[in-house]
Amino acid sequence: MKTATKIADAAALIPEGAVLLIGGFMAVGTPERMIDALVERGVGGFTVVANDTALPGCGIGKLITAGLVKRVIASHIGLNPETQKKMIEGEIDVELVPQGTLVERIRAGGVGLGGVLTATGIGTPVEEGKQIVEVQGKKYLLEEPIRGDFALVKAKQADYLGNLDYSLTAHNFNPVMAMAAETVIAEAEVIVPVGAIPPDAVKTPGILVDHILEREL
């Protein structure tokens, strides 16, 4: 059984320069309360791995605005002009990765694979510095796995074993992020008794989850 963690205590676990895997898609399914706590704490230098950096004032966009991010690995930043501005001015290093490649690199990190092979990027500047592997006469890039120090995920429900289920499209990147980090912090809308979440609704098993945030008062 896990004890609900105060949000300020959870934020205090994350040191300067940590690699954060953050769930969400355009801030849908992003742990907003946890991000707010990091902004309030003011410790940064983070590398953020996520599908995108949301919008100014939303989700990961709050970390960008607060100047707490030094590097972004994402599939796009087009919705956030602040991320674009900081990249152009050299304040943030941005690595753009095709969405399918990104999620597979994270999954590879979670299940212990040495990388993934993809034809995406062959014959473009994307292949520079990367190993090319030929399989059955076709060339692929070897893309290395991604792991993080912390995964910050948002769930619809958690029980006190840490089992999580997600709401509709808010599922998105959250389960794969929870697989690929050393420490997983889950923010849930509600915390329910063990057994209240049907086994076939559990998308992230409790063994992966280290901390469940207190419910919002």
Side-chain angles (χ1 to χ4, degrees):
M1 300 291 282
K2 294 178 172 66
T3 302
T5 303
K6 293 183 182 298
I7 193 162
D9 293 341
L13 295 172
I14 299 177
E16 183 173 0
V19 177
L20 307 181
L21 310 183
I22 304 180
F25 188 107
M26 295 186 295
V28 175
T30 295
E32 296 278 355
R33 292 171 56 222
M34 188 66 204
I35 286 175
D36 289 343
L38 291 174
V39 171
E40 182 176 350
R41 183 170 178 240
V43 172
F46 300 133
T47 293
V48 169
V49 182
N51 178 67
D52 55 80
T53 58
L55 302 156
C58 295
I60 295 168
K62 298 173 186 176
L63 296 175
I64 299 292
T65 300
L68 301 182
V69 180
K70 72 172 184 180
R71 186 170 185 235
V72 169
I73 303 174
S75 68
H76 71 90
I77 59 171
L79 295 174
N80 194 327
E82 292 185 358
T83 307
Q84 298 170 44
K85 184 174 183 291
K86 288 176 181 286
M87 179 185 71
I88 291 168
E89 294 177 349
E91 296 180 27
I92 293 179
D93 177 36
V94 175
E95 179 184 349
L96 294 174
V97 182
Q99 189 177 83
T101 303
L102 178 63
V103 73
E104 284 298 291
R105 289 178 65 189
I106 297 167
R107 187 182 66 85
V111 300
L113 299 179
V116 295
L117 299 180
T118 176
T120 303
I122 286 286
T124 76
V126 172
E127 74 177 29
E128 292 178 8
K130 296 179 180 176
Q131 184 176 345
I132 297 176
V133 178
E134 187 169 319
V135 180
Q136 296 181 350
K138 187 173 181 179
K139 292 181 179 180
Y140 297 88
L141 296 182
L142 173 63
E143 295 281 2
E144 296 182 354
I146 294 175
R147 286 193 60 82
D149 300 313
F150 293 85
L152 310 181
V153 301
K154 171 70 180 294
K156 179 182 179 181
Q157 296 185 108
D159 66 21
Y160 279 97
L161 289 177
N163 296 308
L164 308 178
D165 76 340
Y166 303 94
S167 177
L168 302 173
T169 58
H171 175 283
N172 54 62
F173 274 69
N174 281 292
V176 73
M177 297 305 198
M179 291 172 58
E182 299 301 318
T183 301
V184 176
I185 300 174
E187 175 182 321
E189 294 177 16
V190 294
I191 302 174
V192 297
V194 175
I197 303 175
D200 61 352
V202 173
K203 302 302 181 184
T204 297
I207 194 169
L208 297 176
V209 178
D210 299 285
H211 302 280
I212 305 167
L213 294 187
E214 269 187 340
R215 290 182 300 172
E216 189 170 14
L217 298 178

